[in-house]
Amino acid sequence: MNLTADYHTHTPYSHGKNSVMENVCAAKKLGLKEIAITDHGFNHLLFGLRRKKLTALRAEVIEAESRTGVRVLMGMESNLISADGRTDMKEGDLPFFDIYLMGIHEVVRYSTLSDAYNIMWKNYVAYARGERPSRSVVENTTRAYINAIKNNPVDILTHINYKCFCDLEEVAKACADYGTYIEINTKKRHVSAEELHSMASCGARFVIDSDAHSADRVGDTAIAGELLASGCVPSELIDNIDGRLPSFRFAEYKKIHG
């Protein structure tokens, strides 16, 4: 298994350690064809990307691509912020970006207190206790994920089921229907081999991402290698390995909507 591209990396624009150029140079050293710079979404209260810095970030992306020859996508790991599927990537933000990631995080400004309580707090309390949330909490989180997939041109769901639990098969079906990839994250152990097999059986497709917060982790595949050794996901369902590159829905959305 050879990684072709890494679509989830962070820089000091949120709380990554290394610069855009350093991440891209690390990708070049590994022979990657593409890398995405995907700092945390605007509503992250501690580490969120700031809209006033988007022009500066784009300039660094352009310079890094020009100097290294690696294709560099400017993206954001947006936050799911409501049960009806809204994220902190607004319509007016879309022209600034090339790739659209989305996940559920703590310490985020949700749309309402009810959304914060039902999406984040109830899940997090269960996680902290080492328990699975109640059926109603899982159903609510599942609906929020599915609404987000339906209502936004999300390319990749990041670290699904990490501290926030959903019905993986139902979310995988929505991903398959709308063309959203499920990430196999190599920073967090967020799904098991059996769960990956279940999602693959629903028709979902996958990418392997490092979620690197430092340049020395760009392109890391260790956790994915351990999980996939069982054959839980056929390699042909992983679209950023062995020379292949994904076809992302956000790029198609932008062609149509400008």
Side-chain angles (χ1 to χ4, degrees):
M1 178 182 68
N2 296 306
L3 200 68
T4 310
D6 189 347
Y7 295 111
H8 187 175
T9 73
H10 295 270
T11 73
Y13 281 94
S14 56
H15 71 314
K17 178 180 178 182
N18 294 102
S19 68
V20 172
M21 182 65 75
E22 288 169 326
N23 281 8
V24 177
C25 286
K28 182 179 178 64
K29 186 175 181 179
L30 292 170
L32 302 187
K33 295 181 180 180
E34 295 184 347
I35 184 175
I37 306 299
T38 52
D39 284 297
H40 283 292
F42 304 118
N43 282 31
H44 198 296
L45 296 175
L46 297 179
F47 306 118
L49 180 62
R50 298 293 175 249
R51 287 179 173 89
K52 65 183 180 182
K53 295 187 176 182
L54 292 178
T55 300
L57 175 55
R58 175 58 74 182
E60 291 193 39
V61 163
I62 291 171
E63 180 185 12
E65 180 169 296
S66 175
R67 287 176 57 182
T68 65
V70 176
R71 187 179 182 218
V72 185
L73 304 179
M74 177 171 156
M76 188 173 81
E77 187 186 11
S78 64
N79 299 291
L80 193 157
I81 59 172
S82 73
D84 62 5
R86 280 171 284 169
T87 81
D88 54 359
M89 180 88 84
K90 307 302 182 187
E91 189 70 27
D93 300 320
L94 298 180
F96 287 98
F97 295 98
D98 308 312
I99 187 170
Y100 190 156
L101 278 60
M102 188 204 75
I104 296 178
H105 298 86
E106 311 135 73
V107 202
V108 165
R109 184 172 66 254
Y110 284 82
S111 292
T112 66
L113 288 176
S114 176
D115 287 318
Y117 181 67
N118 289 307
I119 296 173
M120 187 274 290
W121 180 252
K122 286 185 177 180
N123 272 292
Y124 184 77
V125 167
Y127 169 82
R129 291 175 175 171
E131 303 170 353
R132 188 167 177 83
S134 68
R135 180 178 176 180
S136 64
V137 172
V138 172
E139 289 176 348
N140 183 69
T141 308
T142 301
R143 282 194 298 271
Y145 267 123
I146 292 173
N147 285 334
I149 294 163
K150 289 180 177 179
N151 297 331
N152 304 280
V154 175
D155 291 318
I156 301 170
L157 291 188
T158 62
H159 48 70
I160 190 170
N161 254 30
Y162 181 68
K163 299 185 180 181
C164 281
F165 302 91
C166 65
D167 183 322
L168 290 170
E169 290 189 0
E170 290 303 312
V171 175
K173 290 173 186 175
C175 287
D177 288 342
Y178 287 87
T180 294
Y181 285 92
I182 293 174
E183 175 185 80
I184 304 173
N185 185 295
T186 67
K187 181 174 183 285
K188 302 172 173 69
R189 293 184 181 273
H190 60 110
V191 288
S192 66
E194 293 76 14
E195 288 169 331
L196 283 172
H197 176 73
S198 176
M199 290 188 286
S201 298
C202 294
R205 302 191 72 84
F206 301 84
V207 292
I208 296 170
D209 285 331
S210 69
D211 193 359
H213 286 61
S214 59
D216 60 359
R217 283 208 62 258
V218 169
D220 177 70
T221 61
I223 290 176
E226 293 173 20
L227 289 167
L228 298 173
S230 67
C232 56
V233 176
S235 62
E236 58 266 26
L237 294 182
I238 304 170
D239 283 350
N240 65 330
I241 62 172
D242 301 336
R244 298 194 298 275
L245 293 172
S247 178
F248 286 130
R249 64 184 290 205
F250 184 46
E252 292 303 311
Y253 176 92
K254 291 186 74 172
K255 285 180 183 178
I256 296 170
H257 298 277

